[in-house]
Amino acid sequence: MLAPLLLALITSCSGKNDADTLFDDHRQLLQTTLGVEAEPATQPENIAAFPDQDERLFDIPDIREGLLDVYALRECEITSLIAERNNQLGKVAPPSQRWLYELEIWRRLHACWNSDVPDSLDDEDRDRLQHLTESKTRRLPKASWNALFGSSEWVDNFSRASEPLEPQDSPPMEASLDALDYLRQATLNQFNPNWHPDSSTLEGHLKTLQRTPLTARFLRALQLAAVRLDESATLMDTALTESRACPMNDATTLSQEHIDQEHSHYIERLARDAGRWLQAINDLLDVHTVSRPAVETYRRHWLSLTHDDAPWTRFQKARQRYESSRRELRARCDTGGDRKDEEGRT
């Protein structure tokens, strides 16, 4: 009897572009089908604030050398680089450009130290060259970390003001994944003299990440979906507990035509895309050989694919619970029996 109503409810969900509205309609569909009143929907907590700059960045003091001392190493071809770094534009360069500077000066020092130049230097200048090369080698991983975590493009990806991924939203996943992969390759190859970074390519990938803050949107969507799936599972469990027979109000089984197709597609797409995105984020962070405690804490609680309290794990648990309740409801209602038992009890 309720088949037309159910189909109308399903149809009413199509074309929505708001995730919470989609979940509200799905909950209403379950209430109507099961005849059980749902508890008021709870609001999922927002994602945590990204660590402040002083918590996520390394302090990298400048190395002070006199002009004459640097000039003594002129065969290493670092004097023009140092001049560019110390001019007005160099002092206000964004973190990504400061990393490119650190990368280039390390490469020139490294190449110089491994050439015949040290043999032409006196002991003091040779020691200075060795000290500079070793210092820049130790600093480079911190410079690449700061290039990522100091950039506004990266920080904006974790904005708490971002909305959850919407049902009809198709963000440019591939371009953003390519950006993450480039940043990963750049970090992996920073000590590889045969790898040549390109400033415009680096900045272009960072801008891609800034245009669509996918990290925050996926985290918000996972938070929302976990809460709503748990609520739906509770609704089905309540109906199953209150009735010894099939708790559905109509004579049809709980098959695909009686569930909100858009709801199912959204959950499937969220599981697929969020999983790919979080894996790419973690792959990028894994190649960094340094980190900061505040970032590790944020990563464990919000970006992890295994931590119990992380959005991804809670979403997966809620989804499994929802699917389990749905299978149990379907199994009871697909037996072909009446909706009431022999004694007339519901």
Side-chain angles (χ1 to χ4, degrees):
M1 292 176 59
L2 293 181
L5 173 60
L6 292 174
L7 291 174
L9 283 168
I10 294 170
T11 303
S12 72
C13 291
S14 62
K16 288 187 179 298
N17 59 5
D18 180 82
D20 215 353
T21 301
L22 176 65
F23 284 115
D24 286 343
D25 287 346
H26 180 260
R27 185 170 59 252
Q28 181 61 49
L29 175 65
L30 282 176
Q31 287 186 104
T32 304
T33 305
L34 300 174
V36 176
E37 189 69 25
E39 295 291 329
T42 58
Q43 290 303 312
E45 63 173 322
N46 197 355
I47 60 177
F50 205 52
D52 291 336
Q53 180 170 301
D54 60 346
E55 292 182 308
R56 66 177 186 267
L57 299 185
F58 287 98
D59 182 25
I60 307 179
D62 290 333
I63 297 176
R64 302 292 182 181
E65 294 287 347
L67 291 177
L68 291 177
D69 296 329
V70 172
Y71 182 74
L73 303 178
R74 59 190 177 278
E75 290 187 63
C76 296
E77 300 180 347
I78 63 173
T79 52
S80 60
L81 271 179
I82 293 175
E84 291 174 10
R85 171 68 175 83
N86 291 332
N87 68 23
Q88 204 62 31
L89 289 177
K91 292 178 180 179
V92 296
S96 57
Q97 296 302 310
R98 290 199 292 271
W99 171 67
L100 290 177
Y101 162 79
E102 292 288 343
L103 181 63
E104 182 59 29
I105 198 169
W106 172 82
R107 289 185 171 186
R108 295 190 188 186
L109 287 169
H110 179 266
C112 189
W113 178 251
N114 289 280
S115 69
D116 56 3
V117 170
D119 295 334
S120 65
L121 301 174
D122 60 31
D123 290 345
E124 185 177 356
D125 287 333
R126 188 184 306 110
D127 289 344
R128 180 173 292 108
L129 174 58
Q130 181 180 10
H131 170 72
L132 280 173
T133 303
E134 292 175 347
S135 296
K136 290 298 183 181
T137 301
R138 289 192 300 269
R139 292 155 62 101
L140 192 54
K142 293 181 179 180
S144 65
W145 174 274
N146 283 2
L148 181 64
F149 282 87
S151 66
S152 60
E153 295 90 346
W154 180 252
V155 174
D156 288 349
N157 224 254
F158 300 85
S159 171
R160 303 182 79 213
S162 302
E163 292 294 326
L165 193 71
E166 296 178 351
Q168 302 301 327
D169 195 9
S170 296
M173 275 279 293
E174 298 309 317
S176 297
L177 287 170
D178 287 345
L180 292 180
D181 186 63
Y182 181 87
L183 295 174
R184 177 176 174 274
Q185 293 298 325
T187 306
L188 275 174
N189 287 287
Q190 59 185 333
F191 287 110
N192 177 9
N194 296 319
W195 182 79
H196 302 288
D198 178 75
S199 176
S200 61
T201 301
L202 173 61
E203 297 300 332
H205 283 308
L206 288 172
K207 290 297 182 184
T208 296
L209 295 177
Q210 186 180 46
R211 280 193 295 269
T212 308
L214 285 178
T215 306
R217 300 197 67 193
F218 277 129
L219 292 179
R220 294 291 306 275
L222 291 171
Q223 290 280 92
L224 176 64
V227 171
R228 295 293 178 259
L229 288 173
D230 263 332
E231 291 171 345
S232 294
T234 298
L235 201 62
M236 288 185 281
D237 292 345
T238 300
L240 288 165
T241 300
E242 292 181 352
S243 173
R244 292 177 55 187
C246 174
M248 292 177 65
N249 291 330
D250 67 315
T252 58
T253 60
L254 187 67
S255 60
Q256 277 298 91
E257 64 178 347
H258 295 136
I259 355 174
D260 186 349
Q261 295 284 335
E262 194 175 1
H263 176 271
S264 298
H265 292 161
Y266 179 70
I267 296 301
E268 292 170 6
R269 183 164 65 91
L270 178 60
R272 181 189 67 243
D273 292 347
R276 289 180 67 199
W277 184 255
L278 290 175
Q279 185 63 63
I281 290 286
N282 281 282
D283 287 345
L284 168 58
L285 298 182
D286 283 342
V287 298
H288 284 272
T289 58
V290 296
S291 183
R292 293 298 310 274
V295 173
E296 286 302 306
T297 298
Y298 186 96
R299 179 182 178 184
R300 183 170 59 253
H301 288 288
W302 295 100
L303 305 177
S304 173
L305 292 166
T306 58
H307 194 269
D308 286 343
D309 292 332
W312 173 257
T313 306
R314 283 187 278 130
F315 165 72
Q316 291 288 15
K317 289 179 179 178
R319 188 186 182 195
Q320 290 169 7
R321 183 192 170 202
Y322 171 84
E323 293 295 340
S324 176
S325 298
R326 195 173 114 186
R327 283 193 300 270
E328 184 177 350
L329 184 61
R330 178 180 296 165
R332 187 182 297 186
C333 295
D334 278 354
T335 59
D338 293 334
R339 290 301 186 269
K340 296 185 178 181
D341 62 25
E342 294 179 354
E343 298 180 2
R345 293 176 302 212
T346 58

